[in-house]
Amino acid sequence: MDTPLPVEALEPVLGRFGVLYAVFAHVDGQVLLTWGDASSIPQPDPCAFVGATTDMARVYRSLERMLLPRMDVQGEHLCIRSKVAERVVYALFFETRRFEASTPVERLRTEYAFCKSLSNAVDAVLLGWVSGR
């Protein structure tokens, strides 16, 4: 039987970074955990929703040979998608309004630095979980 994801270790990280909604799944698409509330994130087509549970196996394939984390926009929300140890893929959503910058390039740098910090924090928790299984 699979060891459940360490929710008690993930929740403080997700809360500290202001994540609204998160999906964690095996690379085959089997959802391990959804966290938060997706109701504020517009979903014009639930099958194409970035991070939708039915989308996670495709998300994993889309991350092949990419710099991670990958950033995508869903309405007024930014989503980062990444994978851990070729075993787990995740999508994390938060509001884009938090990023203010004088130029579009500076805003992109700020967003990416934030996403990288968030991704590193989540990866650290998940790497411990993957290695302990």
Side-chain angles (χ1 to χ4, degrees):
M1 182 158 172
D2 284 339
T3 306
L5 278 177
V7 177
E8 67 285 344
L10 285 168
E11 280 186 336
V13 172
L14 299 175
R16 183 173 75 238
F17 283 92
V19 173
L20 299 173
Y21 181 66
V23 179
F24 299 88
H26 280 294
V27 296
D28 64 3
Q30 176 195 0
V31 175
L32 298 167
L33 173 71
T34 59
W35 183 88
D37 181 10
S39 65
S40 67
I41 303 167
Q43 300 179 40
D45 177 0
C47 293
F49 176 42
V50 175
T53 55
T54 57
D55 188 47
M56 294 308 277
R58 187 182 62 73
V59 166
Y60 172 75
R61 287 189 301 277
S62 76
L63 297 175
E64 287 301 313
R65 296 178 296 282
M66 288 192 147
L67 289 174
L68 299 177
R70 178 176 171 182
M71 301 185 318
D72 292 295
V73 175
Q74 185 82 27
E76 291 293 316
H77 296 82
L78 193 61
C79 171
I80 62 171
R81 302 188 294 179
S82 197
K83 60 184 176 180
V84 177
E86 304 297 325
R87 303 265 312 268
V88 177
V89 63
Y90 60 83
L92 312 173
F93 293 84
F94 46 90
E95 292 181 324
T96 60
R97 287 183 280 234
R98 68 173 52 202
F99 302 106
E100 293 184 22
S102 56
T103 68
V105 170
E106 187 58 37
R107 179 180 171 136
L108 187 60
R109 284 185 184 140
T110 303
E111 286 176 349
Y112 188 79
F114 175 86
C115 289
K116 193 66 177 162
S117 295
L118 170 56
S119 179
N120 286 342
V122 170
D123 288 358
V125 172
L126 293 177
L127 282 171
W129 176 77
V130 167
S131 67
R133 294 180 68 208

